[in-house]
Amino acid sequence: MAPLALFSKHFTSAFIVCALFLFGYRLLLHPLRKYPGPFFAKLSDVYGGYFAAARRLHLRTYQDHLQYGAAHKSALTKLTKGDIYQNERLVKPSIYRASEVRPGQNNVFNSRDKKIHSAKRRLVGQALSDQSLRRFEPTLLEQVDTFIRILYKASDVSRAVDMTLSCRHLGLDTIGQLGFGYDLKIQSEEEHRFLKKAIVFTNFRINLALQLPALINFRPDLIATYLPNSIRKRLLAVVEKMIATRLAQPINAKHDLLSFITPKLQTDLKDIQSGELWPEAVFFFGAGGDTTATAMAGAFFYLSRNSDCYKQLAAEIRTTFNSAGEIRGGPQLAGCRYLRACIDESLRMASPVGTTLWRELDSQEAGRCPLVVDGHSIPHGTLVGVNIYSLHHNEDYFPDPFTFRPERWLDDGADKARAAFAPFSVGPRTCAGKPLAYQEISLALAKTLWYFDFEPAPGYLGDIGGGTPGKTDGRGRVGEYQTYDIFGAYHDGPYLVFHPRHMHCDELKHRQDG
Ligand code: HEM
């Protein structure tokens, strides 16, 4: 036998023996072996990686919960269950390195050290506080008004509007202003619209690496950054341009994130991407635009398909306010309880972040008493987490979970539902942008219902966004808004047709004519 053939024969045999040994260990001796779970998840993280690549890990995890129970093994070293996010002994695991803009550059989202995180959180949180949002409101209202004018133009010619696109344009323009005092004009012009794709690419990659940590060191986005005109390179160039433009102005010229963080974070204008400000800016831009867009598109989907809820919400908006100008932040908007219930019900059913947010025992806790979650003693090094999509469809908390029923947030069972509601996560790493998200979604929905009636587009366009009958992979429910899990969510539609409420739309017509 030729030496090469001999080598390859021995190598293959050795590989098979090692694999059998490893899989035998994982099935029979691994500390988590007592937990039920899918066979392939017991063997390797490739299980999570495969479903992350298919963008349906949330659906698979939900099915696994039904089959194996709440505490099951969803990957080699991962358990899902319990009261995790308020536990001070737990931190974000090292797999969050997957979201570093450049290796070693940490931001408020992926810093693991508690002290460093709370300093960053205090800094970034200033731009997102209630007081800051009050100052930002006129700018937010301008963006929402642009959104309304675009719907009005489409309504004039009965053109179906893809709400995924419109909501994402609004979300990105808003975050361009709040982050950098920069008018990206995505709602009205083409130039920066590629940013949507760039954010999807980034989120997909991060999610894949979070589920299959072996990929963390393989960074296709870093490679992509060196390719001429790659989408990732263009995204970073836009963020850099926004920072440079803004830093050329006096620091208090705008009310934005940069006015708060620039004095505290080192940045060299000649090399912005190496400075401390850079990772915060890139994350802020990615986190704030797409998530609110999913929440809005989901709400439009469910309202267009549930006519009783639609009518009740329209009545609330149209009786609470006397003019479009009155629709702004404050007690009247906060008093729209049905509006809030519709938003929460959409966030429950189509969570913008529907994934499992992994946590692990802080390394400083090693050797101290074991971690106990819901009566389970968890070995050190295990990742624990709750899957948001599964939690939000758990019948114990949300009876009839696939039915859009805003009333569940207003009736007697509301406290139980609220205890299990976590679209923004909970605990010290809860979303810092929650108040902005609610304000933006509330204004966009309330103003839309003030000016228009809407319904699904006729023909096949009207079906886009829902499930496909007969599918058995979790996508067979026609009335469920289909999200594709990429840590955030990818989606399409709904396509809606808008009918102006004429006496109210006259002012829009005049503004357009003017
Ligand atoms: C409906 C809209 C939104 C949803 C559902 C959402 C959801 C979340 C979730 C689940 C997390 C925790 C992630 C984890 O533990 O790994 C998070 C973190 C975060 N979000 Fe949001 N988000 C939304 C909008 C926003 C907006 C508009 C901003 C503002 C720019 C924002 C800024 C942040 C920040 C700064 C963090 C990191 C918090 C920390 O670790 O201290 N989010 N978000």
Side-chain angles (χ1 to χ4, degrees):
M1 193 181 276
L4 193 61
L6 195 64
F7 172 77
S8 112
K9 188 176 159 201
H10 287 310
F11 180 80
T12 310
S13 312
F15 182 79
I16 291 170
V17 170
C18 285
L20 286 175
F21 184 76
L22 190 70
F23 291 157
Y25 165 78
R26 287 176 176 178
L27 289 173
L28 304 171
L29 299 170
H30 193 280
L32 299 183
R33 65 187 179 282
K34 67 172 180 163
Y35 293 95
F39 178 75
F40 288 109
K42 292 184 174 197
L43 294 183
S44 158
D45 287 334
V46 171
Y47 181 79
Y50 170 77
F51 288 105
R55 302 177 305 173
R56 57 185 173 91
L57 186 57
H58 61 313
L59 300 173
R60 186 66 248 170
T61 309
Y62 172 69
Q63 282 164 352
D64 288 344
H65 268 298
L66 295 181
Q67 191 172 347
Y68 301 105
H72 75 269
K73 199 174 172 215
S74 61
L76 191 55
T77 52
K78 297 173 183 170
L79 281 173
T80 53
K81 181 74 181 142
D83 178 14
I84 289 167
Y85 301 95
Q86 314 266 20
N87 189 328
E88 289 186 357
R89 302 178 68 204
L90 294 173
V91 291
K92 286 192 173 180
S94 63
I95 53 171
Y96 271 79
R97 283 190 296 127
S99 67
E100 288 170 355
V101 189
R102 282 184 185 184
Q105 274 187 338
N106 289 124
N107 55 32
V108 62
F109 172 74
N110 58 28
S111 47
R112 305 178 59 221
D113 181 281
K114 284 183 193 159
K115 275 196 188 139
I116 295 177
H117 166 258
S118 47
K120 285 179 180 294
R121 173 79 186 216
R122 271 197 301 279
L123 201 56
V124 172
Q126 292 175 75
L128 295 162
S129 68
D130 289 344
Q131 193 194 6
S132 164
L133 291 181
R134 273 195 293 279
R135 283 190 60 194
F136 180 65
E137 193 181 57
T139 313
L140 177 58
L141 282 168
E142 274 174 31
Q143 296 303 330
V144 173
D145 287 345
T146 305
F147 174 79
I148 295 292
R149 279 199 297 280
I150 288 166
L151 297 185
Y152 180 63
K153 261 193 187 169
S155 73
D156 229 13
V157 286
S158 300
R159 180 167 57 78
V161 180
D162 178 356
M163 297 311 288
T164 283
L165 288 186
S166 299
C167 296
R168 291 176 99 195
H169 294 168
L170 171 61
L172 288 173
D173 273 351
T174 302
I175 214 65
Q177 289 283 8
L178 181 63
F180 313 88
Y182 194 95
D183 191 1
L184 282 164
K185 295 195 178 105
I186 296 181
Q187 296 201 80
S188 49
E189 294 174 13
E190 195 58 44
E191 184 187 352
H192 291 121
R193 290 193 176 166
F194 76 89
L195 288 169
K196 290 173 296 179
K197 268 195 193 155
I199 291 173
V200 167
F201 167 75
T202 303
N203 288 349
F204 176 78
R205 183 204 62 76
I206 291 174
N207 192 39
L208 200 57
L210 281 171
Q211 308 309 331
L212 195 50
L215 291 180
I216 289 181
N217 296 324
F218 174 69
R219 298 279 306 256
D221 59 324
L222 287 186
I223 299 166
T225 309
Y226 295 106
L227 299 176
N229 209 29
S230 84
I231 203 160
R232 171 90 176 143
K233 189 177 182 145
R234 288 165 67 204
L235 162 75
L236 298 182
V238 170
V239 180
E240 191 169 354
K241 178 175 73 176
M242 291 194 288
I243 296 174
T245 310
R246 182 62 182 86
L247 295 191
Q249 302 163 359
I251 201 63
N252 292 323
K254 299 270 172 80
H255 179 81
D256 57 7
L257 173 77
L258 294 193
S259 66
F260 290 107
I261 69 174
T262 308
K264 296 278 164 56
L265 299 179
Q266 171 273 323
T267 302
D268 176 359
L269 261 181
K270 290 197 193 88
D271 186 10
I272 289 176
Q273 297 201 16
S274 299
E276 289 174 337
L277 193 147
W278 179 245
E280 302 301 345
V282 175
F283 170 72
F284 195 87
F285 186 60
D290 243 27
T291 42
T292 36
T294 302
M296 289 187 278
F300 278 112
F301 175 88
Y302 285 112
L303 287 169
S304 65
R305 273 133 177 102
N306 293 276
S307 58
D308 289 347
C309 306
Y310 175 95
K311 281 183 204 147
Q312 195 165 334
L313 180 59
E316 181 179 74
I317 300 300
R318 293 168 191 174
T319 53
T320 303
F321 301 100
N322 293 309
S323 71
E326 277 186 9
I327 304 178
R328 47 176 58 245
Q332 268 178 301
L333 191 63
C336 291
R337 292 184 68 221
Y338 200 73
L339 172 64
R340 176 63 181 246
C342 287
I343 296 172
D344 285 347
E345 187 65 344
S346 307
L347 284 169
R348 177 186 76 78
M349 292 187 73
S351 285
V353 180
T355 188
T356 310
L357 302 169
W358 296 114
R359 299 291 186 262
E360 71 178 359
L361 199 60
D362 194 338
S363 55
Q364 292 174 356
E365 294 282 338
R368 298 194 192 152
C369 57
L371 171 68
V372 177
V373 178
D374 225 30
H376 301 267
S377 177
I378 311 284
H380 194 68
T382 304
L383 304 194
V384 289
V386 178
N387 181 272
I388 295 177
Y389 180 88
S390 298
L391 178 65
H392 285 177
H393 291 85
N394 185 330
E395 285 196 308
D396 292 345
Y397 303 104
F398 307 103
D400 206 1
F402 291 99
T403 300
F404 183 76
R405 206 172 67 77
E407 290 71 18
R408 73 174 83 238
W409 300 102
L410 303 169
D411 61 23
D412 288 348
D415 283 350
K416 196 172 177 193
R418 214 152 274 295
F421 183 56
F424 298 93
S425 187
V426 286
R429 304 305 292 255
T430 185
C431 174
K434 182 172 159 183
L436 170 65
Y438 273 115
Q439 198 180 7
E440 189 177 337
I441 304 163
S442 305
L443 290 172
L445 284 179
K447 285 213 160 188
T448 304
L449 277 162
W450 177 261
Y451 284 114
F452 307 99
D453 278 310
F454 59 83
E455 61 188 349
Y460 82 95
L461 275 185
D463 296 338
I464 293 176
T468 309
K471 281 205 154 195
T472 54
D473 58 358
R475 298 208 177 277
R477 290 173 284 263
V478 178
E480 183 184 13
Y481 190 46
Q482 298 301 306
T483 54
Y484 295 81
D485 177 5
I486 51 169
F487 194 87
Y490 181 80
H491 40 89
D492 195 6
Y495 283 75
L496 302 180
V497 175
F498 290 82
H499 306 287
R501 296 177 66 225
H502 280 293
M503 57 193 207
H504 298 294
C505 281
D506 282 351
E507 66 188 71
L508 291 178
K509 186 167 168 21
H510 292 141
R511 262 190 258 171
Q512 198 160 286
D513 294 345

